Amino acid sequence: MKRTIFVLIGVIGAMLTGINPASAATSAVDCSAGGYTRAYNSYIPTNMERGAIDGRSYNIGGSWSYDYEICLDIPDTSTFTIEVRIWNNGTQTAFVDDQPGDKVFRFSLAPNSFWQVYGTMTGPGSTYLYYTWHEKRL
């Protein structure tokens, strides 16, 4: 009973002072406001690298160069590391973004390149976490 009273006092005190629990923190990134032309909803097992997180096994660029902007909407308590592996004229480069929380990032592709997108989301073990990949070509 004493434990319940202390918990209630702590919750009421936090409400009165305007403190939110850490798990209720939200990201400043708003993917719905960016004018993205494609949205892909999926899930990924936690703490494991998976390919095709953009919904495509591989991407072919053709004879043009492309700039992409991506907005990734993930659970606020997770981190999603993105790696874009780009092959062009026999060379390979990788773009990596490992910032925590929702993110906006950009990458560029040279003509006649193809690329694959890999990702790893951290979170509670043995679970699947859902995300939304928002994309637009600049």
Side-chain angles (χ1 to χ4, degrees):
M1 183 65 176
K2 285 183 181 180
R3 215 179 271 173
T4 304
I5 292 171
F6 286 114
V7 169
L8 285 174
I9 290 172
V11 170
I12 292 170
M15 289 170 55
L16 291 175
T17 59
I19 299 171
N20 291 326
S23 63
T26 58
S27 172
V29 174
D30 182 10
C31 295
S32 64
Y36 296 96
T37 56
R38 178 177 179 260
Y40 174 70
N41 297 305
S42 190
Y43 58 91
I44 187 170
T46 56
N47 308 316
M48 293 178 58
E49 182 181 76
R50 192 186 82 158
I53 61 166
D54 60 346
R56 302 179 188 110
S57 295
Y58 60 91
N59 302 276
I60 299 174
S63 61
W64 297 91
S65 61
Y66 296 104
D67 297 316
Y68 280 94
E69 181 177 293
I70 308 301
C71 185
L72 194 63
D73 187 8
I74 65 172
D76 291 331
T77 57
S78 299
T79 300
F80 207 150
T81 299
I82 302 293
E83 182 177 0
V84 182
R85 298 176 188 168
I86 304 166
W87 291 269
N88 181 41
N89 295 327
T91 62
Q92 179 179 345
T93 58
F95 169 84
V96 178
D97 186 318
D98 59 359
Q99 300 297 315
D102 293 355
K103 63 181 77 194
V104 175
F105 64 96
R106 293 179 177 177
F107 60 93
S108 298
L109 304 162
N112 301 317
S113 61
F114 68 95
W115 68 99
Q116 294 175 303
V117 184
Y118 294 82
T120 305
M121 191 178 321
T122 60
S126 302
T127 60
Y128 287 89
L129 296 171
Y130 290 83
Y131 66 92
T132 303
W133 173 277
H134 299 270
E135 171 185 294
K136 68 179 171 183
R137 199 174 338 178
L138 303 174

